[in-house]
Amino acid sequence: MSFSMSFSTEERGRDNTPDYRLYFKNAEGTYISPFHDIPIYADEAENIFHAVVEVPRWTNAKMEIATKDPLNPLKQDLKKGNLRYVSNVFPHKGYIWNYGAIPQTWEDPGHRDGDTGCCGDNDPIDICDIGNKVCSRGEVIRVKVLGTLALIDEGETDWKVIVINVEDPEAEDFNAASVFTDIEDVRRLRPGFLQATLDWFRMYKVPDGKTENQFAFNGEFKNRDFAIKTVKDTHSFWKALISQKTDAGELNWLIHTVRQSRFPAQLINGSITTRHKIISGDRNKGESINTSCHFSAISCISCC
């Protein structure tokens, strides 16, 4: 099944503050969750996936999908109350790819991976887009999977899926030549890039006083077929999550396209409530997100 979809974003709060949020809307202007409402597939038959860009290339602010916030906007990660920025790891500036996540995937913290021996990190699966374009924060792109790296982050499996934007002028060169295969295309067309990726993930926390990160498979990049299976496995974990077969923990969402629910969404004065939580706008302005005309298919799961 192939999807042709467009999405937009809306900023609330000031950038580089804990209150900053980037909300997502679909083509009809309905507020949606980038975690749950954007389909995993852009073209299922061709294994083309959607990806949400959280961190544009060369930037340092560690933005992420807020999996525990209603509607799952993008926000900047906090560590001990401070906004997180990744340090520049010589010779690189910030993130060396467009970094983001594949929607409708989830690395289950209750599932111990048979290959890595570690459980998931409780987030959507991560992507590193190696295309030429520097994307915008919150941009939704269609990507081709090329391979994956298994980072072990503080004892958790944290897959890094290497992808390329299908709109990149060089995208057709990857997986195109029969003499080369998937991840080897990256070595051929982006010499040194995989080693730079491995070094970056190994070292990026060292400037903050932490030890080097470790990897499964001795840091070997796995090929396209392995990577696609891994993405599809995390999609299965996500489906188990939203169908209540797996404990949601603190994860929180409003779902427009998925009907399974534990708690009904409610509308109070133009704001959505999920049990005791209210989705509001900029605290300083006291605004609310107006979604009063979009409740025919909304479901909600919240573990307050």
Side-chain angles (χ1 to χ4, degrees):
M1 183 180 297
S2 177
F3 291 91
S4 178
M5 309 186 73
S6 61
F7 305 93
S8 61
T9 56
E10 178 181 306
E11 292 183 308
R12 290 181 174 255
R14 288 187 300 112
D15 200 5
N16 297 304
T17 71
D19 291 338
Y20 176 85
R21 297 292 186 274
L22 186 70
Y23 287 93
F24 288 73
K25 297 179 182 179
N26 62 16
E28 290 74 40
T30 304
Y31 288 90
I32 62 171
S33 160
F35 187 3
H36 307 292
D37 288 317
I38 298 174
I40 180 176
Y41 291 108
D43 188 331
E44 184 173 0
E46 297 296 325
N47 282 318
I48 303 299
F49 299 90
H50 283 120
V52 177
V53 175
E54 297 165 311
V55 186
R57 179 186 280 119
W58 313 135
T59 63
N60 298 73
K62 193 177 189 312
M63 307 301 297
E64 62 182 13
I65 293 174
T67 59
K68 299 176 183 179
D69 288 7
L71 282 176
N72 312 123
L74 294 192
K75 70 174 183 180
Q76 191 165 351
D77 190 22
L78 295 172
K79 204 73 167 183
K80 297 181 179 178
N82 297 316
L83 293 168
R84 285 190 67 187
Y85 298 87
V86 299
S87 299
N88 296 323
V89 178
F90 181 83
H92 309 296
K93 167 66 173 71
Y95 286 73
I96 63 175
W97 350 254
N98 297 303
Y99 186 76
I102 296 178
Q104 295 186 343
T105 63
W106 181 55
E107 296 193 57
D108 184 353
H111 172 78
R112 186 172 300 278
D113 188 275
D115 291 310
T116 69
C118 297
C119 295
D121 70 349
N122 203 31
D123 284 322
I125 199 167
D126 297 320
I127 61 98
C128 301
D129 165 41
I130 66 171
N132 292 286
K133 177 184 177 182
V134 177
C135 293
S136 302
R137 180 187 297 171
E139 188 172 347
V140 180
I141 59 177
R142 295 175 299 127
V143 299
K144 177 190 294 187
V145 169
L146 304 175
T148 190
L149 177 68
L151 174 67
I152 305 302
D153 188 356
E154 298 182 7
E156 296 175 332
T157 302
D158 191 3
W159 293 103
K160 307 300 181 184
V161 182
I162 309 302
V163 304
I164 188 167
N165 189 334
V166 297
E167 296 183 3
D168 189 277
E170 298 179 3
E172 291 187 0
D173 296 334
F174 291 83
N175 307 140
S178 59
V179 67
F180 295 102
T181 57
D182 40 78
I183 200 67
E184 294 305 317
D185 281 333
V186 183
R187 300 188 197 280
R188 176 172 62 96
L189 298 170
R190 296 282 195 277
F193 205 94
L194 292 182
Q195 185 61 48
T197 295
L198 186 67
D199 292 343
W200 194 96
F201 279 119
R202 178 184 289 118
M203 301 296 295
Y204 82 100
K205 291 185 178 180
V206 172
D208 298 326
K210 295 191 175 182
T211 59
E212 294 183 6
N213 279 324
Q214 304 299 312
F215 304 91
F217 312 112
N218 294 316
E220 173 192 353
F221 285 83
K222 307 303 285 186
N223 66 20
R224 175 180 181 268
D225 290 343
F226 187 103
I228 288 175
K229 180 182 182 302
T230 300
V231 171
K232 290 183 176 181
D233 285 346
T234 60
H235 181 51
S236 296
F237 298 148
W238 173 84
K239 288 193 289 187
L241 177 73
I242 58 94
S243 63
Q244 305 175 50
K245 295 178 181 177
T246 305
D247 183 12
E250 296 180 344
L251 298 183
N252 191 330
W253 63 85
L254 282 168
I255 305 173
H256 291 254
T257 57
V258 181
R259 304 302 179 92
Q260 294 92 338
S261 66
R262 294 178 185 171
F263 309 107
Q266 300 179 36
L267 183 68
I268 299 179
N269 297 326
S271 296
I272 302 168
T273 67
T274 61
R275 294 182 77 185
H276 305 298
K277 297 182 179 179
I278 298 179
I279 301 174
S280 60
D282 189 329
R283 296 178 190 174
N284 299 323
K285 296 181 181 179
E287 298 174 348
S288 297
I289 295 175
N290 181 11
T291 58
S292 57
C293 60
H294 302 297
F295 271 71
S296 60
I298 290 181
S299 299
C300 162
I301 297 178
S302 175
C303 296
C304 300

